[in-house]
Amino acid sequence: MPARLDDHDRVPAAPDPDATLDAILGRVHLQGAVFLRGEYSEAWSYTALPPEQTAAVLQPGATSVALFHVVGAGRCWVALEDGVRHWAEAGDVIVLPYGDLHTMGGTTDAAPVSMAALLEPPPWSAMPVIRHGEGGSRTDVICGYLHAEDPLFDRRLGALPPLFVVRPPDGPARDWVRASIGYALQQTSPAAAGGLQGPTQLPELLVREVLRLHLAGAPSYESAWLTALRDPVLAPVLAAMHAAPEEAWSVGSLAREANVSVSFLDERFRAVLHLAPIRYLTAWRMHVARELLRSTDLGIAAIGHRVGYASEEAFSRAFKRAHGVSPSGARG
């Protein structure tokens, strides 16, 4: 029987409903810079440095950094160790919030080359530019990093997937992404100590915008979703859901993750996120599924299994209820 908090412990008042995602993200302290430009020609592929090596170069003392790649031209894919390819094209932003080991490549298959063989070690006398490939059509990628001591970037909470692609909608957001990264490239210069100095605020603003676009589909984002990641009761429950959306969670098994009673967990969810736990779980599964449909070639049944549905039919029904369109429609 899970332990219940003492009766005098009351659920805190619900957060201010006017606290928007923009305001919440504005309180997340980020620091980072653009640090690399890649000019890749078909056919090409490379494997990045391990996370600890990347962090040692870019943010000494940190165990990991968040990475982002902005595709300036062409089309490419990025995959983690599971091998699933997430595709991106010009104007898209690829985010690896935990800096995981990854491989990137173009539209034609090629054996991956280690980044260690392509990139000269620091200190750099100029921003590194990697030119790699066999001379075919070109893909340009701008690489940056961020470091943040915030639960949003805590791997244990899994608030963000380890890899996702954001495609800003046509209009001001997409134009701003392109303009800001172009300006950052023109202004960024090497620092005497071997790092990079320049308009670091621009990468921070860019990633805030990308996170806002990505999280806009998260359950109850207009309330205190990010605040819930800091809540001692909700944080371990959210971490469990985010880490394993495919599990057959019940309110009872979720309550055991936080060592509280079922009734207390339900009350806490409704007060902070304005959703019952299982409704949040379903919404999170649909959020994850939509991202996979947009950026990967995984089949609909495979995506359904990844988010906890035994059959393609059950997943399709749930997805259409949540988004008003079938999974195949969302993919188009």
Side-chain angles (χ1 to χ4, degrees):
M1 182 76 179
R4 181 188 174 90
L5 299 187
D6 293 340
D7 291 338
H8 65 269
D9 288 328
R10 296 183 179 180
V11 177
D16 181 357
D18 294 328
T20 65
L21 185 60
D22 289 336
I24 294 170
L25 285 174
R27 296 194 292 268
V28 177
H29 178 66
L30 303 172
Q31 62 184 71
V34 173
F35 70 92
L36 176 69
R37 184 167 78 250
E39 298 176 0
Y40 307 111
S41 59
E42 296 293 342
W44 63 276
S45 180
Y46 76 82
T47 298
L49 298 176
E52 59 276 8
Q53 290 185 30
T54 302
V57 170
L58 299 174
Q59 187 75 26
T63 56
S64 67
V65 292
L67 299 174
F68 64 91
H69 304 292
V70 182
V71 183
R75 189 167 187 259
C76 63
W77 55 265
V78 180
L80 301 179
E81 291 182 293
D82 63 6
V84 175
R85 294 182 175 185
H86 296 248
W87 288 90
E89 58 191 40
D92 291 353
V93 183
I94 302 160
V95 184
L96 296 108
Y98 317 119
D100 285 353
L101 182 67
H102 61 283
T103 301
M104 180 179 283
T107 56
T108 303
D109 286 342
V113 174
S114 171
M115 177 59 73
L118 301 174
L119 182 64
E120 292 186 6
W124 297 306
S125 60
M127 174 183 287
V129 178
I130 291 177
R131 295 179 176 91
H132 171 57
E134 297 178 5
S137 59
R138 206 169 97 177
T139 297
D140 294 340
V141 181
I142 312 305
C143 303
Y145 80 97
L146 284 167
H147 182 250
E149 297 289 346
D150 189 273
L152 182 60
F153 293 92
D154 187 336
R155 182 190 299 274
R156 295 166 298 179
L157 291 178
L160 299 168
L163 165 61
F164 60 93
V165 178
V166 175
R167 180 163 299 160
D170 289 335
R174 198 169 184 86
D175 293 342
W176 184 85
V177 167
R178 289 177 172 172
S180 65
I181 205 65
Y183 180 74
L185 275 176
Q186 292 176 6
Q187 298 298 317
T188 304
S189 61
L196 290 174
Q197 63 184 4
T200 58
Q201 188 179 19
L202 274 177
E204 293 165 22
L205 292 173
L206 172 66
V207 172
R208 287 188 202 280
E209 176 65 14
V210 167
L211 289 173
R212 186 189 66 79
L213 291 169
H214 173 73
L215 293 175
S220 287
Y221 77 93
E222 287 291 359
S223 63
W225 184 77
L226 295 180
T227 299
L229 297 176
R230 300 168 172 84
D231 184 278
V233 173
L234 296 182
V237 178
L238 295 179
M241 290 185 190
H242 295 166
E246 75 281 3
E247 289 289 329
W249 295 109
S250 66
V251 181
S253 62
L254 291 170
R256 286 192 288 275
E257 294 290 327
N259 197 33
V260 297
S261 69
V262 167
S263 60
F264 190 91
L265 180 65
D266 184 76
E267 186 180 359
R268 190 75 151 206
F269 257 87
R270 292 175 189 273
V272 177
L273 288 166
H274 311 298
L275 288 171
I278 298 304
R279 282 194 61 196
Y280 176 90
L281 174 62
T282 300
W284 183 257
R285 285 169 167 169
M286 296 303 103
H287 176 63
V288 172
R290 185 172 60 180
E291 294 296 330
L292 292 172
L293 285 164
R294 286 177 173 175
S295 67
T296 76
D297 294 329
L298 283 172
I300 291 173
I303 292 174
H305 283 296
R306 281 184 171 235
V307 295
Y309 290 85
S311 72
E312 181 176 338
E313 294 76 13
F315 167 61
S316 295
R317 287 195 299 270
F319 190 90
K320 190 166 186 178
R321 281 196 303 271
H323 296 301
V325 63
S326 67
S328 57
R331 169 157 275 167

